[in-house]
C-alpha cells in the first residue's frame, strides 16, 4: 500500500526517528502504526547489541530542586554532537520528568517506569538507540530530601550537584547555593570523615606510612606522620572540613554556622561526566 507523508510524520512525532527510517518502517509494516513502532524498536535493539562495547563518555546532567526535594540525572551518549542536539536534550529531559513525577530514587526504578502507553523507560531508550545510532545509557539518577534542597547546574550540563540542608529560609538558600557550587568545584568524596569507608582509611594510612619510610623518616615516627597525612586527606576531601572556596580562612562547616548557628549539610550528590 502507498505510504502517505501524513503517516510518516505521525510516526516521526511518536518515535523521533528520521523521515526515511519512518517511511521504511511503515512500508515494512504495511502501513500499520503499531507494527512500524515495533520495527523501529527492533532496529534499536540490533544497534544496541552492535554498539554495546562502545564507550559513552559524553552526555547530559541535569539537577532540579523544589522545597524539600531534589533530583539529579546523568544520561550518557557517545559523541558531543549528539549531546548538543536539541531533540536529544528534550528526550533526556522527558526521561528526567518521568522520574520526578513518579518520585523514584534510583536508576533501576526509573528504567522500569512506563514512558508511554506502550513502552517502559528502558524500552524507549533502546528505541532511541535505533533512532540516533549511538550507545545511550541512563547512568545515574538520585533523589535528595531535606528541610531544603538546592540544585546547581554548571554551564554546559556536564556537571550538576544537589545539597540538602537542615534548615530553610532565603539567606540559607543563598548559602546552600554557594555550597552546591563548592561541591561542583571541589568534588568532596563524603560529607565528613564518618562517611569515609574503613577500607579507604586503611589504604591512606598505609600509603602515608610507606611514603614516610621512603623519605627516610624513622620507623617509630612513620605511624604519626601517616596519621597526620590522613587528617589532611579528611580536610581536603570531606565537604564540611574543606576550605570554603570564597573565603579559605573558613571551613564549609564554619561558613554555614556563620550564616545561622547549627546550619549544616545533611546530604549531597555530585554527578560529572569527567
Amino acid at each position: 500500500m502507498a505510504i502517505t507523508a501524513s503517516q510518516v510524520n505521525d510516526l516521526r512525532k511518536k518515535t523521533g526517528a528520521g523521515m526515511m527510517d519512518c517511511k521504511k518502517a511503515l512500508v515494512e509494516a504495511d502501513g500499520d502504526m503499531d507494527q512500524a513502532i515495533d520495527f523501529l524498536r527492533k532496529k534499536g535493539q540490533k544497534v544496541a547489541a552492535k554498539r554495546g562495547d562502545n564507550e559513552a563518555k559524553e552526555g547530559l546532567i541535569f539537577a532540579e530542586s523544589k522545597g524539600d526535594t531534589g533530583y539529579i540525572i546523568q544520561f550518557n551518549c557517545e559523541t558531543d554532537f549528539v549531546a548538543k542536539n536539541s531533540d536529544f536534550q528534550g528526550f533526556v529531559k522527558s526521561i528526567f520528568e518521568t522520574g520526578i513525577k513518579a518520585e523514584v530514587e534510583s536508576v533501576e526504578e526509573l528504567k522500569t517506569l512506563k514512558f508511554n502507553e506502550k513502552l517502559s523507560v528502558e524500552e524507549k531508550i533502546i528505541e532511541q538507540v535505533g533512532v540516533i545510532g549511538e550507545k545511550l545509557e541512563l547512568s545515574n539518577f538520585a533523589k535528595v530530601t531535606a528541610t531544603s534542597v538546592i540544585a546547581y547546574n554548571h554551564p554546559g550540563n556536564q556537571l550538576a550537584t544537589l545539597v540538602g540542608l537542615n534548615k530553610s529560609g532565603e539567606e540559607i538558600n543563598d548559602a546552600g547555593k554557594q555550597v552546591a557550587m563548592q561541591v561542583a568545584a571541589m568534588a568532596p568524596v563524603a560529607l565528613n570523615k564518618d562517611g569515609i569507608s574503613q577500607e579507604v582509611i586503611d589504604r591512606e594510612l598505609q600509603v602515608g606510612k610507606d611514603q614516610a619510610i621512603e623519605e627516610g623518616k624513622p620507623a617509630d615516627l612513620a605511624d604519626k606522620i601517616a596519621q597526620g597525612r590522613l587528617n589532611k586527606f579528611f580536610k581536603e576531601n570531606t565537604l564540611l572540613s574543606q576550605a570554603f572556596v570564597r573565603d579559605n580562612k573558613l571551613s564549609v562547616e564554619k561558613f554555614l554556622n556563620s550564616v545561622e548557628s547549627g546550619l549544616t549539610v545533611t546530604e549531597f550528590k555530585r554527578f560529572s561526566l569527567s
Side-chain angles (χ1 to χ4, degrees):
M1 64 177 290
I3 303 301
T4 67
S6 177
Q7 287 176 294
V8 173
N9 192 48
D10 285 346
L11 182 57
R12 187 173 187 276
K13 287 180 179 178
K14 289 182 177 182
T15 65
M19 299 294 283
M20 294 306 296
D21 285 336
C22 287
K23 184 174 182 180
K24 181 179 179 181
L26 284 162
V27 169
E28 290 287 337
D30 200 25
D32 184 285
M33 186 65 67
D34 288 339
Q35 289 186 32
I37 291 172
D38 287 342
F39 177 87
L40 290 171
R41 282 179 58 202
K42 290 175 183 176
K43 178 187 175 184
Q45 291 169 347
K46 290 178 181 178
V47 174
K50 289 180 180 178
R51 305 190 73 84
D53 292 333
N54 289 23
E55 289 188 299
K57 291 185 175 181
E58 299 294 334
L60 296 168
I61 296 173
F62 297 116
E64 183 177 313
S65 65
K66 185 177 181 180
D68 61 359
T69 307
Y71 295 90
I72 185 168
I73 190 172
Q74 178 178 339
F75 199 106
N76 287 74
C77 58
E78 292 182 40
T79 65
D80 185 52
F81 176 78
V82 167
K84 290 181 177 178
N85 179 273
S86 60
D87 289 340
F88 176 72
Q89 292 175 1
F91 171 65
V92 175
K93 286 179 179 178
S94 69
I95 297 290
F96 192 29
E97 289 165 4
T98 298
I100 292 173
K101 185 176 180 181
E103 300 181 346
V104 298
E105 300 185 14
S106 69
V107 169
E108 291 73 22
E109 288 181 282
L110 179 51
K111 285 180 178 179
T112 61
L113 290 178
K114 280 290 186 182
F115 182 80
N116 55 33
E117 291 182 1
K118 286 182 65 69
L119 304 177
S120 68
V121 167
E122 187 168 27
E123 290 168 337
K124 185 64 179 179
I125 292 170
I126 291 172
E127 179 188 84
Q128 288 299 298
V129 170
V131 170
I132 295 171
E134 286 194 7
K135 180 178 181 179
L136 304 178
E137 187 174 14
L138 175 55
S139 307
N140 283 306
F141 185 88
K143 176 183 178 181
V144 169
T145 55
T147 302
S148 59
V149 181
I150 307 300
Y152 170 69
N153 290 281
H154 192 70
N157 296 117
Q158 295 190 333
L159 167 64
T161 64
L162 289 175
V163 168
L165 301 167
N166 65 337
K167 298 188 179 187
S168 62
E170 186 174 345
E171 189 176 7
I172 287 169
N173 286 345
D174 289 341
K177 187 63 176 285
Q178 293 183 56
V179 174
M181 294 173 71
Q182 167 101 17
V183 172
M186 301 306 293
V189 298
L191 184 61
N192 52 40
K193 66 180 182 180
D194 293 336
I196 303 293
S197 71
Q198 190 61 47
E199 181 183 358
V200 171
I201 291 172
D202 291 343
R203 185 182 69 239
E204 290 297 320
L205 284 171
Q206 188 61 52
V207 169
K209 184 177 180 178
D210 290 345
Q211 287 177 338
I213 292 172
E214 288 175 7
E215 291 166 1
K217 301 295 191 296
D220 59 341
L221 292 180
D223 287 334
K224 290 183 179 180
I225 293 171
Q227 186 62 52
R229 288 175 174 171
L230 176 63
N231 291 336
K232 182 181 179 183
F233 172 83
F234 289 148
K235 185 175 180 180
E236 292 176 348
N237 293 281
T238 61
L239 176 60
L240 294 176
S241 297
Q242 282 182 339
F244 182 48
V245 290
R246 293 198 172 187
D247 183 354
N248 60 19
K249 294 179 181 178
L250 296 175
S251 66
V252 171
E253 184 174 34
K254 288 181 178 178
F255 161 68
L256 290 171
N257 272 283
S258 73
V259 175
E260 183 170 321
S261 179
L263 176 62
T264 192
V265 176
T266 58
E267 184 181 2
F268 72 88
K269 297 291 182 183
R270 181 185 188 274
F271 291 173
S272 174
L273 291 179
S274 57

